[in-house]
Amino acid sequence: MEYAINTETEFARDVLEGLTATNKHLSSKYFYDQRGDVLFQKIMKLPEYYLTQKEFSILDQYKDAILQPFLSSGQPFNLVEMGAGDGLKTKILLRYLQDSGCNYTYYPIDISGTVLEQLKCDLKQDFPSMCITPITGTYKRALEEQKWEEGRRNLFLFLGANIGNFDRELAVNMLRRISEALNAGDYLLIGFDLKKDPEVILQAYNDPKGVTRDFNLNILSRINKELGGDFDLAKFKHWPMYDPLTGECRSYLISMETQKVTISGLDKEVYFEKAEPIHTEVSKKYNNYELGQLAEESGFVITRDFEDKEHFFTDSLWQKQ
Ligand code: AVI
């Protein structure tokens, strides 16, 4: 197949920059095309990927306490969700809000338009009277554009440990942007995966069925499909590693031999040494002390931490100062 040279898209620019850097890297935000979305849905159902089940149980157990500031006031509010995905966990909160007769508009933000379309259809079936305004795009753009209604109280959701996919510096930047988009007294409910037995963490990113491997490798398939690359996926190994000090679980794709890859859409040949890595993802874990620091640095106070019994995961309720 012929590919027009396309350096116009953000994806093309980032791939070019990442694969020509001294330490090769690709951003995990590009995992999520149609196939990536399906693979991530599968990951969330894996027994090793404890994050989803833990957060599910937290939201179910503490929904009343979490939503209390909004249940009692009777005022309309905005419920803005960063990285809504399939909304499965959020539905627990949505159902509770609906049953309590709350007046709110739900603004799910996601980089994947496909996922948002699906979510909207789904929610319209389950909650026909719900006001829902999906926002397709990056968090950064959504926070700049602020399409939600002004003059209302806001509850932002940033669930699923999505903040863990930013290193600490970027996480503080992102949280400050959220804080700037909020008014004093508004809330942010944010999910963090907590530091724990390294083996448990590593298994979550290295499941025996290889779903996470395929998810990681999907970024190369995407370059092949969208930019005319000729990556041979069999020549790359999925390699997650966890550093208990930084709390970073970092995923790599390791070139198993010396090779040349051509990306015709970028008019580029990329050379790999044997055992050379491409860094693709960081999934950062925190402890409670680090959470307190993060909240303070970004203009929030922690109202309460809602944790599962094993203290694997927390949904932390923060209030804008
Ligand atoms: C979306 N994000 C929080 C997931 C994580 O745990 O970092 C993505 C993921 N990567 C591998 N497995 C799941």
Side-chain angles (χ1 to χ4, degrees):
M1 202 194 301
E2 281 295 307
Y3 287 86
I5 294 174
N6 181 1
T7 49
E8 296 305 309
T9 63
E10 198 183 337
F11 179 49
R13 277 195 301 274
D14 287 352
V15 169
L16 187 62
E17 193 270 318
L19 293 184
T20 52
T22 312
N23 294 325
K24 293 185 174 62
H25 58 90
L26 294 166
S27 167
S28 62
K29 73 179 175 193
Y30 297 119
F31 285 171
Y32 303 88
D33 63 354
Q34 219 171 13
R35 178 159 178 268
D37 290 341
V38 171
L39 288 169
F40 186 52
Q41 303 286 325
K42 276 196 186 162
I43 287 175
M44 288 194 288
K45 293 191 183 111
L46 292 170
E48 295 81 13
Y49 194 74
Y50 57 84
L51 291 79
T52 311
Q53 311 135 33
K54 293 295 184 195
E55 189 167 46
F56 212 88
S57 70
I58 293 168
L59 295 175
D60 195 41
Q61 184 174 353
Y62 295 110
K63 50 191 181 288
D64 184 72
I66 291 171
L67 295 170
Q68 207 38 245
F70 294 87
L71 295 176
S72 41
S73 84
Q75 298 293 317
F77 65 95
N78 301 321
L79 182 66
V80 180
E81 178 161 25
M82 319 262 299
D86 66 358
L88 206 65
K89 285 166 290 178
T90 319
K91 269 191 195 171
I92 298 173
L93 301 180
L94 296 175
R95 162 114 17 237
Y96 203 68
L97 289 171
Q98 292 288 113
D99 291 350
S100 312
C102 287
N103 180 358
Y104 67 99
T105 306
Y106 177 46
Y107 297 89
I109 303 168
D110 207 284
I111 193 158
S112 166
T114 336
V115 157
L116 281 182
E117 263 315 300
Q118 181 60 44
L119 176 63
K120 188 172 177 182
C121 282
D122 219 43
L123 291 177
K124 278 286 163 198
Q125 263 185 0
D126 285 7
F127 310 101
S129 65
M130 180 192 287
C131 297
I132 164 166
T133 307
I135 302 174
T136 308
T138 61
Y139 302 145
K140 189 166 168 258
R141 171 111 44 90
L143 288 168
E144 277 161 13
E145 291 177 356
Q146 300 202 14
K147 290 192 175 148
W148 39 92
E149 207 167 310
E150 261 181 70
R152 283 180 167 197
R153 294 177 78 202
N154 296 299
L155 170 57
F156 271 48
L157 304 176
F158 202 171
L159 303 177
N162 287 339
I163 190 70
N165 295 134
F166 297 89
D167 67 26
R168 194 178 186 286
E169 197 186 327
L170 290 176
V172 172
N173 283 344
M174 177 57 63
L175 291 168
R176 285 198 181 137
R177 278 178 213 270
I178 296 178
S179 164
E180 279 159 21
L182 296 177
N183 303 309
D186 282 346
Y187 286 91
L188 166 66
L189 181 71
I190 179 161
F192 290 93
D193 193 16
L194 296 171
K195 286 181 173 172
K196 62 182 70 59
D197 182 345
E199 238 164 68
V200 174
I201 293 177
L202 210 48
Q203 272 179 30
Y205 293 87
N206 205 12
D207 65 278
K209 285 196 185 130
V211 186
T212 314
R213 175 202 60 214
D214 293 348
F215 183 57
N216 194 7
L217 283 166
N218 187 50
I219 201 160
L220 303 186
S221 305
R222 199 172 166 186
I223 296 173
N224 286 350
K225 264 189 283 184
E226 294 181 30
L227 300 173
D230 66 355
F231 276 102
D232 178 351
L233 272 53
K235 293 184 181 164
F236 287 85
K237 184 178 228 173
H238 167 62
W239 189 256
M241 51 180 294
Y242 177 64
D243 177 352
L245 191 63
T246 61
E248 286 185 354
C249 186
R250 297 171 71 82
S251 292
Y252 296 90
L253 291 168
I254 314 280
S255 174
M256 296 312 287
E257 54 187 70
T258 303
Q259 55 179 316
K260 179 187 82 179
V261 172
T262 304
I263 307 176
S264 60
L266 297 177
D267 200 15
K268 192 82 205 155
E269 289 181 340
V270 183
Y271 295 88
F272 288 90
E273 303 281 349
K274 186 170 179 174
E276 185 178 351
I278 311 173
H279 175 232
T280 52
E281 189 180 46
V282 58
S283 300
K284 189 169 157 53
K285 319 302 173 192
Y286 288 85
N287 63 29
N288 294 89
Y289 175 70
E290 291 164 338
L291 285 193
Q293 288 183 318
L294 201 59
E296 196 183 320
E297 273 177 56
S298 41
F300 291 95
V301 279
I302 299 182
T303 305
R304 188 169 159 189
D305 268 313
F306 298 96
E307 295 183 11
D308 60 285
K309 283 199 294 290
E310 287 177 291
H311 304 286
F312 272 21
F313 198 94
T314 180
D315 275 320
S316 196
L317 187 62
W318 294 7
Q319 191 168 30
K320 154 106 176 192
Q321 290 271 54

